[in-house]
Amino acid sequence: MSTAPLLEQLIEALRCLPGVGQKSAQRMAYQLLERDRDGGRRLGVALVAAVEGVGHCERCRDFSELPVCPVCASASRDTHLLCAVESPADRLAIEQATGYRGLYFVLQGRLSPLDGIGPAELGLDLLARRLAEGGVGELIIATNPTVEGEATAHYLAQLAREAGVRPSRLAHGLPLGGELEYIDRGTLAHAFGTRQEAGN
Amino acid sequence: MSTAPLLEQLIEALRCLPGVGQKSAQRMAYQLLERDRDGGRRLGVALVAAVEGVGHCERCRDFSELPVCPVCASASRDTHLLCAVESPADRLAIEQATGYRGLYFVLQGRLSPLDGIGPAELGLDLLARRLAEGGVGELIIATNPTVEGEATAHYLAQLAREAGVRPSRLAHGLPLGGELEYIDRGTLAHAFGTRQEAGN
Ligand SMILES: [Zn+2]
Ligand SMILES: [Zn+2]
């Protein structure tokens, strides 16, 4: 092999990105070195800084570089409303599509026993304590409309009822099997606005 | 906006990668932070190291972290043969597909007057001096079978003849308009093996 080791290392390292195989990694490396070294350096610095500086908010589990994220720390949010989502991307989608001014709880996943993801992995002990504190009146369950998302929603609804908190679900109208993150804003805003009390 | 600034910086920085828009950048950032921080850190370090450490070989213009790359520095290559390619990826494709043991010259582009890419940008002064040195007997022109690649090949053939060097082209059989880098190894090896003297 004659390719420079640093270049090989870069190509190999680029493959940690989702959807990037050997051929795309090679193209990315060549393109950065050939046409955008500033961009490559900026990305390298940003990666190290984010990996080392971004943790999880201790209230909502969203990504945050502070112990408590800006949303949880905000004095202008409605603390009676808590919205549970599977991922930071879903939280962002709701924040951008709706006028929601309550707080969030980011599960960072969904119940998936076969993958070893149970209540502990989703921080549901933290959520249970939060609901037991008494300040939350409604838990808006905004998991994805998939089989695992529905099972997670069912579990969350029970958790809410046990704490005397009213659980609600986004209105149906979301396409079954779809990814919430990719739904257009109008549909998402409508489903969010017409959310209904969660059934058993 | 509530997303952590370091995270926003990372998402923005990821967009320097070819083919990566806002949505994919976001997914990449979330996935790295959620599931592969080691990979993210390794990529960050590799990017900075490559951007700062990888330059161009002063003989062949391929990427190299040494002044002269391992291929040019090798004592076991046939210095009578020089193969001109458009890109490092093309060089690698030929190296992997064929039994070629000569040397390379990497143009890092193709003649494209409208984009301001002329002989100087492709290092053709360096190539002309190399051919004038007298050690090269055959210049194998392996530019892409595109309009600009053909124009570049024509120019290179003249350059070779002026230096008394025999120019040759990869045999046709390459699909017209295709990208050499993506051609299957068998076709590429065959076309390389049956290369013919370059016409006017
Ligand atoms: Zn938070
Ligand atoms: Zn070289």
Side-chain angles (χ1 to χ4, degrees):
Chain A
M1 272 308 292
S2 57
T3 314
L6 284 178
L7 184 53
E8 281 170 32
Q9 283 171 34
L10 174 57
I11 293 170
E12 183 54 36
L14 280 163
R15 298 188 56 185
C16 77
L17 297 173
V20 175
Q22 176 67 22
K23 208 77 175 170
S24 338
Q26 193 177 296
R27 278 184 87 82
M28 285 177 169
Y30 288 153
Q31 167 143 337
L32 285 179
L33 289 172
E34 200 53 35
R35 282 175 243 158
D36 193 12
R37 290 195 178 226
D38 285 348
R41 184 182 291 107
R42 212 177 310 122
L43 175 55
V45 171
L47 274 165
V48 173
V51 160
E52 289 177 357
V54 177
H56 292 284
C57 169
E58 59 193 38
R59 292 285 288 166
C60 73
R61 306 181 87 228
D62 196 3
F63 291 124
S64 174
E65 58 193 279
L66 297 167
V68 175
C69 78
V71 173
C72 290
S74 168
S76 68
R77 309 287 302 206
D78 181 349
T79 58
H80 283 78
L81 295 175
L82 189 63
C83 178
V85 292
E86 293 184 18
S87 72
D90 292 344
R91 187 201 69 75
L92 192 63
I94 288 176
E95 190 75 1
Q96 291 176 342
T98 74
Y100 181 64
R101 297 298 298 160
L103 297 174
Y104 294 94
F105 189 86
V106 182
L107 300 167
Q108 302 279 9
R110 63 201 90 174
L111 290 176
S112 181
L114 293 179
D115 300 317
I117 301 176
E121 283 68 31
L122 304 185
L124 297 193
D125 46 343
L126 182 65
L127 177 60
R129 283 201 300 278
R130 175 80 166 270
L131 296 175
E133 285 171 9
V136 177
E138 179 183 353
L139 179 68
I140 303 168
I141 302 169
T143 51
N144 282 311
T146 58
V147 173
E148 289 175 339
E150 295 289 333
T152 306
H154 188 74
Y155 193 99
L156 292 177
Q158 289 191 303
L159 206 67
R161 284 197 197 87
E162 284 165 17
V165 172
R166 188 163 57 90
S168 65
R169 300 288 305 279
L170 299 206
H172 271 91
L174 303 186
L176 284 168
E179 292 279 304
L180 200 145
E181 177 184 354
Y182 286 98
I183 292 162
D184 68 274
R185 290 185 179 199
T187 307
L188 182 55
H190 176 79
F192 195 87
T194 56
R195 64 186 181 272
Q196 297 164 343
E197 176 142 6
N200 280 299
Chain B
M1 272 306 294
S2 59
T3 313
L6 284 177
L7 184 53
E8 281 170 33
Q9 283 172 34
L10 174 56
I11 293 170
E12 183 54 38
L14 280 164
R15 298 188 57 186
C16 76
L17 297 173
V20 175
Q22 175 68 21
K23 208 77 176 170
S24 338
Q26 193 176 299
R27 280 184 86 82
M28 284 176 168
Y30 287 154
Q31 166 141 341
L32 285 179
L33 289 173
E34 200 52 35
R35 281 177 241 157
D36 193 11
R37 290 193 179 228
D38 285 348
R41 184 182 292 110
R42 211 177 309 123
L43 175 55
V45 170
L47 275 164
V48 173
V51 159
E52 289 177 357
V54 177
H56 291 283
C57 169
E58 59 193 36
R59 292 283 289 166
C60 73
R61 305 181 87 230
D62 195 3
F63 291 124
S64 174
E65 57 193 279
L66 297 167
V68 174
C69 78
V71 173
C72 289
S74 167
S76 67
R77 309 285 302 204
D78 181 351
T79 58
H80 282 80
L81 296 174
L82 190 62
C83 176
V85 292
E86 291 184 19
S87 72
D90 292 344
R91 188 201 67 75
L92 191 63
I94 288 176
E95 189 74 3
Q96 290 175 343
T98 73
Y100 181 63
R101 297 298 299 161
L103 297 174
Y104 294 94
F105 190 85
V106 182
L107 301 166
Q108 302 280 8
R110 63 201 89 175
L111 290 177
S112 180
L114 292 179
D115 300 315
I117 300 175
E121 284 67 33
L122 302 185
L124 298 192
D125 46 343
L126 182 66
L127 178 61
R129 283 201 301 278
R130 174 80 166 268
L131 296 174
E133 286 171 9
V136 176
E138 178 183 355
L139 178 68
I140 303 168
I141 303 168
T143 51
N144 282 312
T146 58
V147 173
E148 289 175 340
E150 296 288 334
T152 307
H154 189 74
Y155 193 100
L156 292 177
Q158 289 191 306
L159 207 67
R161 282 195 199 88
E162 284 166 15
V165 171
R166 187 163 58 92
S168 66
R169 301 288 305 280
L170 299 207
H172 271 89
L174 303 186
L176 282 168
E179 292 281 302
L180 198 145
E181 180 186 352
Y182 287 99
I183 292 162
D184 69 275
R185 291 186 179 199
T187 307
L188 182 55
H190 176 79
F192 196 88
T194 57
R195 65 186 180 270
Q196 298 165 341
E197 177 140 8
N200 281 297

